[in-house]
Amino acid sequence: MKLEITSRNYEVSERLKQITTQKLSKLDKYFVGDDVKVKVCFKKEASLFTTEVMLDYAGKFVRATASSANFYDNLDVVVPKLEGQIRKHRTKFDKHQKNSAYRDVAVFETADREEKKGEIVKEKKFKLTPMTVEEAIDEMELLGHAFYVFLEAKTNTVQVLYLRNDGDLGLIEPEI
């Protein structure tokens, strides 16, 4: 967080600078990185002391002011105001940060990776019982599978019944 302290009609003491830095550092938890700029302006007008804090984060601004008999009480009022505004606009800050994350050109490291080959992770054995295509459709629907392997009763060949992307069924018959 980059802190800039200015004053009008008042000489800011080192103690006030230190306390200001300490209290505003609580806002660091809301931001990632050091691109947060905070401008604090202390103004004295007659017997009224005004503290104005403006926070700039990635082009988004949050501002709070307080006036009282001294600057120390003002800081106790301004910091919670800023925290409330930051929490309120948190999604706006996060969205802006995420969108700006892709502005730079992406650089990809080329690591030597082994391509994973498909491997058999499960084996299943079952008996093929002769049935008609209609019986195979009923069996596939009962099981809720996307395909069904069966032994066709008339030709005594192994066939595969499968569910197509359009919702229809397909049948694979081997040629002998």
Side-chain angles (χ1 to χ4, degrees), residues 110-140:
T110 55
D112 293 334
R113 296 184 200 166
E114 292 183 25
E115 290 189 29
K116 185 176 179 181
K117 295 180 181 177
E119 44 185 76
I120 298 173
V121 293
K122 183 177 180 181
E123 287 186 27
K124 191 172 188 178
K125 294 182 181 181
F126 58 96
K127 285 189 176 184
L128 290 176
T129 54
M131 62 178 68
T132 64
V133 175
E134 289 78 23
E135 291 172 334
I137 292 171
D138 292 339
E139 196 70 26
M140 184 175 87

Side-chain angles (χ1 to χ4, degrees), residues 138-168:
D138 292 339
E139 196 70 26
M140 184 175 87
E141 287 175 355
L142 283 173
L143 292 172
H145 289 173
F147 69 94
Y148 189 74
V149 179
F150 66 100
L151 184 65
E152 211 284 317
K154 292 180 187 172
T155 61
N156 206 24
T157 59
V158 176
Q159 297 183 1
V160 178
L161 184 67
Y162 65 94
L163 185 64
R164 294 170 43 96
N165 289 338
D166 60 4
D168 291 334

Side-chain angles (χ1 to χ4, degrees), residues 7 21 54 60 62 70-71 76 100 103 108 120 132 143 159 161 165:
S7 65
T21 305
M54 192 164 116
K60 304 291 180 199
V62 177
N70 67 45
F71 291 121
D76 292 336
S100 65
R103 287 187 182 154
F108 297 101
I120 298 173
T132 64
L143 292 172
Q159 297 183 1
L161 184 67
N165 289 338

